[in-house]
């Protein structure tokens, strides 16, 4: 289509030159214009092909499936970081990568159907975001040679995905978002010096939540806290459980529990009615109304996962030979609007030390 348009343009210019009687000068002008047009088109074509040629220099293209268990900020950030990590390794969506993406909407049966579908389509790799999706993908791929790379799995060992030494249980590996529980407890003690009871709401079927609560219990005494837990089965349970829990404790510390995070606004409303704060576990929860958090950077976690996946896709490593990795360190996030509303004053160094300070509550 572009070549035909160019030919029509040149013909029109030549006709105009003959009508005006400009002779050789007009012809030269026409030739110059035609040459310029051709060169411009060739240059554009060269530019468009350079990225594809560079990215696919090894002659490979890939199709992957991304199975995300629920829709919330931290998991969305993981997916964003994962694709960025692949891109940095030369594997880019739309160039040499086709991405199939599905969200299970916090339903384990749906997560299983998603991973089964990816296996039937014979994708090159499955990226599973969050523990239930990782477990589903692992089970779906048992009779295939499709590798699974997971992320946002708090405890791969408890989930049956890895051994105590971090080596994989099969053709699966990835990254763990193990929460910095001790840093969180230390922060809560500094912000609420008189608090004695911390409430934790969790989903009884989420292995990562059960594991994290045990860590809270092990460390709570060191900071003078008692952990009061409340288990739920579905999102519909959050309303009543949060109201009951908020009446018993001095604050609530939220996990990365997928079902509870989906009901975060309900938890915040019940806590606000009781006049107590909710501490988050990552940046998005603080942006959405939690008072503060010592949490990990989920975009960085995703990038780390993408780098691992790239090695597997390129044949530089095999998933069973790669121990799972942990995102090290914790960042402080605070919300000053929430603090004002609750009449809480942060320690004087908090605003200066925080990785990010939110002055308003933003719910997306």
């Amino acid at each position: 289509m572009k070549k035909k348009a160019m030919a029509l343009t040149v013909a029109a210019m030549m006709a105009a030159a003959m009508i005006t009687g400009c002779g050789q000068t007009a012809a030269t002008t026409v030739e110059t214009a035609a040459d310029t047009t051709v060169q411009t088109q060739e240059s554009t074509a060269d530019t468009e092909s350079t990225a594809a040629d560079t990215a696919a220099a090894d002659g490979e293209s890939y199709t992957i499936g991304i199975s995300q268990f629920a829709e919330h900020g931290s998991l969305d950030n993981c997916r964003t970081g994962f694709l960025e990590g692949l891109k940095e390794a030369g594997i880019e969506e739309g160039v040499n990568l086709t991405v199939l993406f599905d969200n299970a909407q916090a339903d384990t049966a749906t997560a299983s159907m998603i991973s089964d579908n990816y296996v039937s389509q014979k994708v090159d790799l499955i990226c599973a975001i969050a523990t239930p999706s990782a477990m589903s993908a692992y089970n779906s791929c048992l009779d295939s040679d499709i590798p699974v790379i997971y992320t946002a799995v708090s405890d791969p060992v408890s989930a049956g995905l890895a051994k105590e030494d971090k080596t994989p249980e099969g053709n699966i590996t990835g990254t763990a978002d193990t929460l910095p529980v001790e840093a969180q407890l230390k922060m809560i003690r500094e912000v609420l010096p008189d608090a004695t009871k911390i409430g934790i709401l969790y989903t009884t079927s989420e292995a990562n939540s059960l594991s994290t609560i045990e860590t809270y219990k092990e460390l709570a005494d060191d900071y003078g806290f008692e952990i009061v837990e409340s288990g739920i089965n579905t999102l519909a349970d959050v309303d009543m459980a949060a109201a009951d829990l908020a009446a018993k404790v001095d604050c609530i510390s939220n996990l990365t529990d997928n079902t509870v995070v989906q009901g975060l606004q309900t938890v915040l409303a019940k806590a606000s009615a009781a006049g107590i704060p909710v501490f988050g576990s990552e940046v998005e929860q603080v942006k959405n109304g939690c008072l503060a958090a010592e949490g990990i950077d989920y975009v960085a976690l995703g990038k780390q996962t993408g780098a691992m996946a790239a090695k597997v896709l390129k044949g530089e490593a095999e998933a069973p030979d790669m121990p799972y990795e942990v995102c090290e360190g914790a960042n402080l996030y605070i919300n000053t609007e929430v603090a004002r509303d609750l009449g809480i004053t942060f320690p004087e160094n908090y605003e200066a030390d925080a990785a990010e300070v939110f002055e308003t509550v933003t719910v997306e």
Side-chain angles (χ1 to χ4, degrees):
M1 185 64 71
K2 288 182 179 179
K3 290 183 178 179
K4 186 180 291 184
M6 182 195 75
L8 289 172
T9 301
V10 173
M13 293 173 66
M14 291 179 68
M18 292 173 67
I19 291 170
T20 55
C22 291
Q24 184 63 41
T25 301
T28 302
T29 302
V30 170
E31 290 174 0
T32 301
D35 290 342
T36 301
T37 304
V38 171
Q39 289 171 2
T40 300
Q41 288 184 330
E42 289 176 347
S43 176
T44 301
D46 289 343
T47 301
E48 290 175 346
S49 64
T50 298
D53 290 343
T54 300
D58 58 359
E60 295 289 341
S61 61
Y62 312 96
T63 297
I64 66 170
I66 299 180
S67 175
Q68 183 172 317
F69 185 64
E71 186 175 352
H72 60 73
S74 57
L75 302 189
D76 293 342
N77 286 345
C78 269
R79 187 175 77 251
T80 297
F82 177 76
L83 292 173
E84 289 179 7
L86 285 174
K87 183 177 179 179
E88 289 177 0
I91 302 175
E92 182 178 357
E93 185 176 9
V95 179
N96 59 345
L97 175 66
T98 298
V99 176
L100 309 179
F101 170 69
D102 293 280
N103 193 305
Q105 300 300 330
D107 184 84
T108 52
T110 303
S112 294
M113 287 191 291
I114 289 170
S115 53
D116 284 346
N117 181 49
Y118 290 159
V119 172
S120 69
Q121 295 191 61
K122 298 181 179 179
V123 297
D124 296 305
L125 177 145
I126 295 176
C127 171
I129 304 177
T131 303
S133 287
M135 295 170 72
S136 295
Y138 173 63
N139 290 327
S140 295
C141 293
L142 283 175
D143 295 325
S144 78
D145 59 358
I146 298 173
V148 177
I149 307 295
Y150 57 77
T151 187
V153 174
S154 297
D155 190 343
V157 177
S158 295
L161 306 175
K163 302 180 180 69
E164 289 289 347
D165 62 358
K166 295 185 178 181
T167 57
E169 285 287 2
N171 196 16
I172 182 169
T173 189
T175 58
D177 62 340
T178 306
L179 294 180
V181 174
E182 186 157 18
Q184 180 88 339
L185 289 168
K186 180 175 181 293
M187 181 263 294
I188 294 173
R189 174 52 68 211
E190 291 174 349
V191 175
L192 301 178
D194 299 323
T196 59
K197 294 182 179 181
I198 297 175
I200 299 179
L201 193 64
Y202 71 101
T203 307
T204 56
S205 60
E206 284 211 23
N208 59 315
S209 295
L210 296 172
S211 173
T212 304
I213 286 175
E214 288 306 309
T215 304
Y216 264 96
K217 289 179 178 179
E218 290 171 7
L219 298 174
D221 283 346
D222 296 342
Y223 294 89
F225 290 121
E226 175 189 348
I227 302 300
V228 180
E229 60 190 274
S230 180
I232 62 168
N233 295 312
T234 68
L235 185 61
D237 300 332
V238 172
D239 189 292
M240 186 178 295
D244 180 65
L245 186 63
K248 299 176 180 177
V249 298
D250 300 301
C251 66
I252 292 174
S253 188
N254 209 41
L255 309 180
T256 51
D257 185 291
N258 295 290
T259 305
V260 177
V261 171
Q262 281 197 308
L264 179 59
Q265 292 308 310
T266 300
V267 177
L268 290 168
K270 300 304 181 183
S272 178
I276 65 170
V278 177
F279 292 90
S281 54
E282 47 85 30
V283 60
E284 297 295 331
Q285 293 178 24
V286 177
K287 182 168 72 174
N288 292 341
C290 289
L291 176 64
E294 281 283 357
I296 65 174
D297 183 336
Y298 275 86
V299 173
L301 182 70
K303 283 186 178 181
Q304 187 174 346
T305 315
M308 295 179 74
K311 290 179 181 178
V312 173
L313 287 170
K314 291 178 175 182
E316 297 172 359
E318 293 187 359
D321 300 327
M322 302 171 69
Y324 77 81
E325 300 178 5
V326 178
C327 189
E328 301 292 345
N331 296 317
L332 173 64
Y333 305 100
I334 65 173
N335 193 308
T336 54
E337 179 183 357
V338 176
R340 285 193 303 272
D341 290 345
L342 290 169
I344 293 174
T345 301
F346 285 117
E348 60 180 343
N349 61 310
Y350 266 45
E351 288 199 37
D353 291 346
E356 198 160 356
V357 177
F358 297 97
E359 297 180 348
T360 59
V361 173
T362 304
V363 180
E364 298 178 351

